[in-house]
Amino acid sequence: MKINFPRIILTCTLTVMSFANASAQNNDAATEAKIDQLVKKMTLEEKISMLHANSIFTTSGVARLGIPGLSTDDGPLGIREELKAGGGWAPANLTTDSATFFPNGSAIAATWNPSLANRYGIAIGEEARARGKNVLLAPAFNIARTPLCGRTYEYYSEDPFLNSQLAVAAVEGIQSQHVAACVKHFALNNQETERGRINVEVSERALREIYLPAFKAAIEKGNAWTIMAAYNKVRGEYCSENNYLLNTILKGEWGFKGIVISDWGGTHSTVTAANNGLDVEMGSRPPYENYYFANPLLDSVKAGKVSEKTIDDKVHRILWVLYKTSLSKNLPAGSLNTPAHSKTVYDIASESIVLLKNDKHLLPLKTAGLKTIAVIGDNATHMNHLGGFGAGVKAKYEITPLQGLQNALGKTVNIKFAQGYRARVINPWQKNKNDKDVDVNKPDPALIQEAVNTAKNSDVAIVFIGGNRDYESEGRDRKDLSLPFGEQALVDAVTAANANTIVVIIGGAPYDINKIKKDNHTIVWSWFNGSEGGHTLADVLTGKVNPSGKLPFTFPVALHESPAHYLHTFPGDSLTAIYKEGILVGYRWYDTKNITPLYPFGYGLSYTNFAFSPLHTDKKDYKLNETITVTTKVKNTGKIDGKETVQLYIGKLGSAVERAEKELKAFKKVMVPAGKEVTVRLSIPVKNLAYYNEQSKKWVVEPGKYKVMTGASSRDIKSTVTISVIN
Ligand code: BGC
């Protein structure tokens, strides 16, 4: 008897699915009806009270109708501590509000692993729930247009595809905990210099191809429930009152149903902002009743300048988000500082660390017979959960690199520490008159001498340098790429004193490490890697973890070679930044202009070696509605297991319009056991080869030939095949 199981299963699945869809629609319809009812019951005053802050991180609800307010909190690094009621930004000094410190944005991006971004989202979402927040002001993923941007460490990448994959995964994780993600900063907040006044002029094509894709993906695929309008202007209008960005694109084209929240103090008008798409005004300075979206908005409605329908739409959006969060069924309790969250931090951090150079095979450290290690540099003991201006987290704990090494090797190895340099940052808002002439970047001869003495008498010297969260900060951009605090002099001196010197650089953005690349044989890049940062770094150095991080942005040889600087468009003239480089951002610029970077996008070594087989595409010619399937094999030719990221780039041959030499279109990180080979399959819908045509205002796939490239970085292409797209 022939039983057609697959068909039966398929029919059942379809029935279950359509039942699920129908019930989701019923739920949606029921919620919509409830929302409409609630809005009808509210007075105009009650509605307006929901549209602006009533403390730094909260808005009002309507208690008589059982409507809670919004309880927001930063941010990407962890759930920020509570603030003293009415005390401005002063902490409440509670004993119950410490939280897990998560790796920074560029660290998450360096994992090239969306499943880790998703775990980050779930864990931080659980912490937000446990702390009673319904909106988490994260993730932040503005494009790394210039390496100097003070918030590069908070953001992900210079590439819109990598950005999108991580943003969607993080948003889905956060919202799985019934906490709204607030994706930020919409849009083009790519520099901190004059961020509150700068006007960005950008071509429509660069806007669509480079700066918007991750926001679009976070809204359309990730279903982010809230979004934060950026501080800056775009094409002459503040982002918080930018009709094109908020009404036309976000709420119109992308069908966004959630809340547009202003950045803190980033609202500049009542009527324009209300009519052009802003829903909630946040800020940190009372009196809140005078906010644009408080009494002035009430007056504007009464005067007929803003319709009550517009107000109802904003309230509707807030209620829609509340029904997905605080008012949702089966609201999880959340959890704080759990071992599982620490494990998530550990796993992210261990996949983020980038091995830049290992020419002497000094790493992983051969611990047998190792007697003394000199641990040198302020960054070996520097904590990064707090620092600088902007969002930090009162970490329950943070393991420093020195503690990590002590925990890993302290029983058998004599670990000696020397500070090496003093990490002093004089922030503009902290400057006093005695600081006027202090050169914080001057090497300290006494500390260097002490470091040299320590290094001389040790088997290995590990120098921890780089930035920290005072040096890389919201609110200002770095002046240049040079290493701060006299660190280069320290590295030179220690390297001369000990032939087994390892340089570990900790930072969230590119630095000038030309000299180190030239003079040093062993270089490791690490990030502000969260509560478990020191443990993961020690485990990478000792080989318990085989590094697999890949750079999420290009390190230029010189700042003036990077696009915004080459074209003199940073930080802008007369408060206008013209993005003259257009679509040629990051590696798109270096590759197209044939400029060799110091370290390319996607670069990162391993303790093992990988061999890529030639790539295969499933066909040679593709129609517009088809998908290109690419297969390649990756063989681990070394002796230890390792993870490799196969990066798939596409380049149009003979395009009628300007195109980048190559664009990342897919990637996959795979574990390959020693001596084994794995097959990696990647797919690209042909429609993803499109460029944005400014004349027709449409995405257009040009017919013709395309190069399909697989590589281990943007500059390490292993195999290329040409395919054709036919109409
Ligand atoms: C930042 C936001 C942050 C907000 C609240 C602003 O200065 O730009 O990213 O969420 O402050 O702390």
Side-chain angles (χ1 to χ4, degrees):
M1 193 174 67
K2 194 177 153 220
I3 302 176
N4 199 342
F5 281 120
R7 189 188 222 122
I8 294 169
I9 292 167
L10 185 69
T11 321
C12 293
T13 319
L14 284 177
T15 317
V16 171
M17 268 171 51
S18 37
F19 178 74
N21 284 345
S23 108
Q25 271 164 25
N26 287 343
N27 281 344
D28 284 353
T31 309
E32 289 291 323
K34 267 194 260 176
I35 293 175
D36 288 340
Q37 281 308 312
L38 277 173
V39 175
K40 276 194 195 124
K41 287 184 190 151
M42 289 165 71
T43 65
L44 179 61
E45 284 73 8
E46 284 170 335
K47 291 174 192 169
I48 302 280
S49 76
M50 293 178 70
L51 305 186
H52 59 89
N54 66 357
S55 84
I56 292 185
F57 285 114
T58 57
T59 63
S60 303
V62 180
R64 77 173 175 94
L65 297 173
I67 302 170
L70 297 176
S71 175
T72 74
D73 211 349
D74 286 307
L77 296 174
I79 311 303
R80 183 181 191 135
E81 67 194 335
E82 298 301 322
L83 304 179
K84 202 157 133 195
W89 290 94
N93 291 325
L94 307 181
T95 51
T96 48
D97 62 349
S98 63
T100 301
F101 168 28
F102 291 91
N104 64 290
S106 47
I108 294 175
T111 68
W112 288 62
N113 188 341
S115 73
L116 288 175
N118 186 251
R119 284 178 57 196
Y120 154 81
I122 293 171
I124 198 169
E126 284 174 345
E127 300 225 343
R129 274 255 46 85
R131 291 270 305 279
K133 314 294 175 191
N134 50 23
V135 180
L136 179 68
L137 307 173
F141 45 78
N142 292 89
I143 287 283
R145 174 179 181 251
T146 158
L148 295 186
C149 175
R151 299 187 89 167
T152 305
Y153 83 88
E154 276 188 81
Y155 299 156
Y156 287 151
S157 171
E158 66 188 20
D159 178 76
F161 183 78
L162 179 58
N163 233 5
S164 305
Q165 301 298 304
L166 299 165
V168 169
V171 166
E172 286 176 346
I174 293 165
Q175 296 193 161
S176 71
Q177 301 309 308
H178 302 229
V179 171
C182 184
V183 297
K184 64 190 189 183
H185 307 87
F186 189 63
L188 297 135
N189 181 187
N190 310 107
Q191 66 184 56
E192 291 299 280
T193 309
E194 294 291 0
R195 67 174 178 179
R197 301 197 297 163
I198 196 86
N199 174 39
V200 175
E201 291 293 338
V202 64
S203 73
E204 191 63 18
R205 189 166 166 210
L207 179 70
R208 301 284 180 162
E209 290 188 23
I210 307 292
Y211 297 99
L212 292 189
F215 286 104
K216 183 173 195 282
I219 302 301
E220 289 186 341
K221 290 211 185 81
N223 289 312
W225 298 327
T226 79
I227 190 166
M228 189 186 293
Y231 279 128
N232 49 286
K233 292 178 184 171
V234 171
R235 298 181 184 154
E237 281 180 0
Y238 279 110
C239 289
S240 57
E241 54 186 55
N242 195 302
N243 189 51
Y244 185 58
L245 287 178
L246 302 183
N247 280 339
T248 308
I249 296 182
L250 176 67
K251 292 181 176 176
E253 288 177 30
W254 302 347
F256 178 65
K257 290 173 79 178
I259 319 170
V260 179
I261 300 176
S262 78
D263 202 339
W264 270 232
T267 308
H268 299 272
S269 64
T270 298
V271 176
T272 314
N275 288 333
N276 286 1
L278 184 70
D279 299 311
V280 171
E281 179 188 7
M282 295 304 290
S284 47
R285 287 208 189 124
Y288 293 105
E289 62 274 21
N290 291 348
Y291 272 34
Y292 294 105
F293 273 26
N295 288 339
L297 185 54
L298 186 63
D299 295 342
S300 304
V301 178
K302 287 182 180 157
K305 291 181 190 151
V306 176
S307 72
E308 190 151 356
K309 199 161 151 259
T310 300
I311 302 298
D312 287 354
D313 173 67
K314 297 183 195 308
V315 173
H316 191 286
R317 286 167 182 277
I318 296 171
L319 288 167
W320 185 79
V321 172
L322 287 172
Y323 274 110
K324 301 213 170 280
T325 57
S326 311
L327 295 176
S328 64
K329 288 198 191 110
N330 308 323
L331 196 59
S335 53
L336 208 52
N337 298 313
T338 63
H341 294 174
S342 294
K343 176 78 169 75
T344 297
V345 171
Y346 179 90
D347 289 347
I348 297 169
S350 61
E351 289 203 20
S352 74
I353 294 169
V354 184
L355 180 63
L356 292 179
K357 198 171 172 191
N358 196 19
D359 281 4
K360 231 178 123 180
H361 298 288
L362 196 56
L363 291 176
L365 288 171
K366 312 324 164 262
T367 45
L370 189 65
K371 291 200 186 64
T372 47
I373 300 181
V375 170
I376 291 166
D378 187 80
N379 262 357
T381 56
H382 201 104
M383 299 215 195
N384 286 302
H385 54 276
L386 294 173
F389 176 84
V393 52
K394 187 166 101 188
K396 177 87 177 168
Y397 71 94
E398 176 179 352
I399 303 293
T400 65
L402 178 61
Q403 286 167 338
L405 282 166
Q406 278 162 340
N407 291 347
L409 299 172
K411 287 205 182 98
T412 53
V413 181
N414 178 12
I415 297 173
K416 297 179 289 180
F417 172 69
Q419 194 190 353
Y421 65 91
R422 228 177 285 282
R424 260 195 92 194
V425 175
I426 303 171
N427 287 311
W429 59 92
Q430 291 160 335
K431 218 170 183 151
N432 66 46
K433 62 177 184 310
N434 300 333
D435 288 331
K436 224 173 44 219
D437 304 318
V438 178
D439 179 2
V440 292
N441 293 323
K442 227 168 82 197
D444 184 320
L447 289 181
I448 291 184
Q449 191 52 52
E450 186 200 0
V452 165
N453 295 344
T454 312
K456 250 190 208 154
N457 304 315
S458 303
D459 297 331
V460 171
I462 313 179
V463 194
F464 292 87
I465 56 159
N468 59 43
R469 287 206 42 250
D470 286 311
Y471 190 69
E472 296 178 33
S473 170
E474 182 186 331
R476 69 178 146 74
D477 298 316
R478 282 182 296 157
K479 278 203 208 66
D480 54 41
L481 293 179
S482 53
L483 288 165
F485 318 133
E487 291 174 355
Q488 184 64 58
L490 173 71
V491 172
D492 292 346
V494 173
T495 305
N498 188 319
N500 291 333
T501 294
I502 297 163
V503 182
V504 178
I505 309 153
I506 295 175
Y511 281 79
D512 176 356
I513 50 170
N514 280 281
K515 189 160 192 299
I516 293 174
K517 184 183 176 191
K518 186 159 73 60
D519 296 348
N520 289 83
H521 42 70
T522 315
I523 316 171
V524 174
W525 187 274
S526 190
W527 314 89
F528 308 134
N529 246 337
S531 293
E532 285 289 321
H535 281 148
T536 48
L537 202 40
D539 288 349
V540 163
L541 294 172
T542 57
K544 195 169 161 193
V545 168
N546 187 355
S548 62
K550 300 270 187 179
L551 295 177
F553 31 60
T554 309
F555 277 46
V557 169
L559 183 61
H560 67 81
E561 291 181 351
S562 79
H565 301 270
Y566 185 91
L567 298 168
H568 305 288
T569 62
F570 174 87
D573 242 353
S574 313
L575 294 178
T576 298
I578 304 174
Y579 286 18
K580 287 189 193 152
E581 70 283 3
I583 56 165
L584 299 183
V585 176
Y587 66 90
R588 285 166 165 76
W589 165 266
Y590 298 94
D591 289 354
T592 311
K593 302 286 178 191
N594 263 320
I595 301 168
T596 306
L598 186 64
Y599 284 110
F601 172 77
Y603 176 86
L605 304 174
S606 163
Y607 292 151
T608 188
N609 291 308
F610 299 102
F612 284 48
S613 74
L615 75 88
H616 288 285
T617 55
D618 56 338
K619 301 204 296 177
K620 287 279 161 232
D621 300 325
Y622 294 88
K623 299 205 187 78
L624 293 179
N625 58 355
E626 291 182 323
T627 292
I628 308 165
T629 303
V630 176
T631 331
T632 187
K633 288 185 180 140
V634 180
K635 183 160 188 187
N636 182 338
T637 57
K639 293 202 172 56
I640 53 169
D641 300 350
K643 290 182 180 163
E644 176 60 305
T645 302
V646 178
Q647 302 165 35
L648 199 141
Y649 297 90
I650 294 271
K652 174 78 182 82
L653 292 169
S655 175
V657 296
E658 179 187 48
R659 298 287 296 240
E661 173 67 22
K662 64 172 91 73
E663 295 170 26
L664 183 74
K665 292 292 175 194
F667 62 88
K668 198 176 237 169
K669 189 169 199 173
V670 284
M671 161 58 93
V672 193
K676 294 277 186 310
E677 188 173 60
V678 300
T679 300
V680 178
R681 193 164 283 112
L682 296 155
S683 24
I684 317 152
V686 172
K687 68 174 174 23
N688 288 6
L689 306 186
Y691 74 93
Y692 188 82
N693 184 310
E694 294 189 341
Q695 278 73 47
S696 64
K697 297 192 170 34
K698 288 208 169 83
W699 289 92
V700 174
V701 180
E702 275 183 291
K705 291 193 184 333
Y706 288 81
K707 278 195 296 180
V708 178
M709 298 160 264
T710 44
S713 87
S714 58
R715 287 290 174 119
D716 185 10
I717 298 303
K718 307 285 192 183
S719 175
T720 305
V721 156
T722 302
I723 55 119
S724 292
V725 170
I726 46 179
N727 262 330

